[in-house]
Amino acid sequence: MTAVTTQCCAPIARAPLSEDDAADLAVLLKAVADPVRLRLLSMIGSHPGGEACVCDLTGVFDLTAPTISHHLKVLRTAGLIDGERRGTWVYYRIIPETVSRLGALFTPLAAPPAAQSGPVDVELLTV
Amino acid sequence: MTAVTTQCCAPIARAPLSEDDAADLAVLLKAVADPVRLRLLSMIGSHPGGEACVCDLTGVFDLTAPTISHHLKVLRTAGLIDGERRGTWVYYRIIPETVSRLGALFTPLAAPPAAQSGPVDVELLTV
DNA sequence: CCTTTGGATAGAAGTTCATCTAATCAGGAG
DNA sequence: CTCCTGATTAGATGAACTTCTATCCAAAGG
């Protein structure tokens, strides 16, 4: 266990964020701060096999294919998903490291109403 | 323990998000998807006593007071912070429940490179 | 080769958002 | 009461974002 142990606050509430870190994280958060992209991310992540074809995604929304393509590109540019063409179709899958980076920002606030049974060990990411 | 136990994926990667849930969460995420608001949140949360006066916040940024006030209002409207006037000054503090709701969305993806020692119990929030 | 289908790119239109200046509200101090 | 300071509200402006249509690229089949 190489992590720093804490039982208090989320990283975001433990020390002031630097200007650079805040700018970095804002880019990442902006990528997921959209209903369509949030649903795309969850559809890709929960798809059997861990990956989803674009053709599985376009039909679900009331949007044109280029719009879906645009949103996938935003997620991809942010490093949240990765895509690969195999033959005719393109498959996307989640990049867990980036997703967990978001979670680590807000999570270790522990349980606010009823505290967890024991102290929670938290990786202190360098963002 | 009334929670569902899992050792796999973040909630966002476990089941497709409904349209309504995605819209709700996008509003919350949009509130934190800004460098200034991210820093405001972390400055308020990490301030001694758990609360910060607006006067502590305005000087740090290269922005006018009304702009800071606007950002604080966005955070407040989203339910991430709460403010109270005491005499001359207004003090803001974090609402941990809302912050942890964000963390719960992305976190339980476990440790991607090296798995945690044991399975992690995760509250399955209804969002 | 030509055609068809899946997907991405280019550019435009409408909307949302961050920021400013100016004006307003709330408490204290003289 | 009047003035000063802390903070918010109102309105305007310019940039960024979401979505569209039209076009283009890539792979597979006839």
Side-chain angles (χ1 to χ4, degrees), chain B residues 12-30:
Chain B
I12 202 181
R14 197 175 308 140
L17 235 39
S18 78
E19 201 170 341
D20 286 349
D21 285 349
D24 265 17
L25 289 167
V27 170
L28 201 53
L29 285 166
K30 218 166 284 196

Side-chain angles (χ1 to χ4, degrees), chain A residues 24-33 102 105-106, chain B residues 29 32-33 38 106:
Chain A
D24 265 18
L25 290 166
V27 169
L28 202 54
L29 284 166
K30 217 166 285 195
V32 293
L102 283 181
L105 233 203
F106 301 107
Chain B
L29 285 166
V32 293
L38 225 33
F106 300 107

Side-chain angles (χ1 to χ4, degrees), chain A residues 12-17 19 22 25-26 29-30 32-35 38-39 41-42 45-46 96-97 99-100 102-103 106-107 109 112, chain B residues 12-17 19 22 25-26 29-30 32-35 38-39 41-42 45-46 96 99-100 102-103 106-107 109 112:
Chain A
I12 202 180
R14 196 175 309 142
L17 235 40
E19 201 170 340
L25 290 166
L29 284 166
K30 217 166 285 195
V32 293
D34 179 276
L38 226 34
R39 291 180 69 197
L41 201 61
S42 77
S46 64
E97 288 83 352
V99 175
S100 54
L102 283 181
F106 301 107
T107 299
L109 205 63
Chain B
I12 202 181
R14 197 175 308 140
L17 235 39
E19 201 170 341
L25 289 167
L29 285 166
K30 218 166 284 196
V32 293
D34 179 275
L38 225 33
R39 292 179 69 196
L41 202 60
S42 77
S46 63
V99 175
S100 54
L102 282 181
F106 300 107
T107 299
L109 204 62

Side-chain angles (χ1 to χ4, degrees), chain B residues 51-54 56 82-87 89-93:
Chain B
E51 60 183 16
C53 172
V54 176
D56 296 324
D82 193 18
E84 180 195 358
R85 168 163 230 134
R86 286 205 299 275
W89 293 281
V90 175
Y91 296 88
Y92 281 96
R93 92 180 117 283

